[in-house]
Amino acid sequence: VDVDGTTVAAAPETGNGGVEVDYAVDKEIIADEVELILAYLSSGGFDDLVFCKDEPNQGGGQGCTPGYWRQSHHFDDWTNHLPSDMFSAVFDLPAALERPEHNVSPASLTLLGAVKLRGGNVNALMRHTVAALLNAANPNVAYDYTEQQVIDKFNAAIAGSAADIENQKNDFARLNEQG
């Protein structure tokens, strides 16, 4: 079994012509799923083993804006996170990014505080990142990224250049405005 050109598993010959595995996977394959597949293969269950995914995952296409998530009557829609959760408990935020214009330091910034931030640059990225996280976490929103992807994308952008921050903000903003 190859994933993106890398062999991650091999099925042994069965003696009757071998095992034919016509198998395409998304790049998002999970290690536990590979272990489950390997366990099944090693049990000899080859005759009825078929993996087929002709189309890539077409999930996504929905999102709610930061304005939606910051309204108190929508706090019940927050899934896996609370408005009072600390931003720095979820995302990497360099201590050098003090927010004196808002009297908020990274150490005391909550998710709600971040989704309420005004302005551009890092503030805009943080605002749209929290909306992206909440969109990804909510089971009723078909968002384009998972929670972990949102976290990873923010952490990479904040560690990068001003262009990285702007590009990631624009990506999240576009997805958050899908409705």
Side-chain angles (χ1 to χ4, degrees):
V1 177
D2 288 344
V3 176
D4 292 335
T6 302
T7 300
V8 296
E13 296 285 332
T14 63
N16 62 355
V19 177
E20 184 176 332
V21 179
D22 185 8
Y23 171 45
V25 297
D26 288 333
K27 292 180 180 179
E28 298 289 324
I29 193 160
I30 299 171
D32 291 343
E33 291 173 350
V34 171
E35 289 178 22
L36 184 62
I37 292 167
L38 293 175
Y40 185 78
L41 289 172
S42 66
S43 72
F46 302 111
D47 293 334
D48 60 351
L49 181 65
V50 177
F51 296 100
C52 180
K53 184 165 182 153
D54 296 329
E55 298 291 325
N57 184 353
Q58 298 298 318
Q62 295 180 337
C64 298
T65 65
Y68 175 89
W69 294 111
R70 69 175 157 243
Q71 295 177 40
S72 60
H73 61 275
H74 291 145
F75 289 172
D76 287 346
D77 294 335
W78 287 49
T79 304
N80 299 337
H81 306 281
L82 297 172
S84 60
D85 288 350
M86 302 309 295
F87 189 91
S88 61
V90 181
F91 301 100
D92 294 341
L93 190 57
L97 294 175
E98 293 293 327
R99 320 260 14 110
E101 66 273 23
H102 301 290
N103 294 321
V104 175
S105 71
S108 64
L109 185 65
T110 64
L111 292 180
L112 180 59
V115 82
K116 287 183 170 185
L117 288 172
R118 299 287 182 209
N121 301 316
V122 173
N123 284 12
L125 174 62
M126 292 168 62
R127 180 173 63 247
H128 280 286
T129 296
V130 172
L133 178 72
L134 297 173
N135 285 318
N138 188 295
N140 297 316
V141 178
Y143 198 63
D144 295 75
Y145 296 131
T146 65
E147 287 177 81
Q148 191 59 55
Q149 288 172 320
V150 170
I151 293 166
D152 293 344
K153 287 176 178 295
F154 172 85
N155 290 344
I158 202 71
S161 67
D164 295 329
I165 289 169
E166 184 68 15
N167 289 337
Q168 189 57 65
K169 184 270 298 177
N170 290 340
D171 181 44
F172 286 153
R174 178 182 58 82
L175 297 176
N176 294 341
E177 294 168 0
Q178 295 180 104

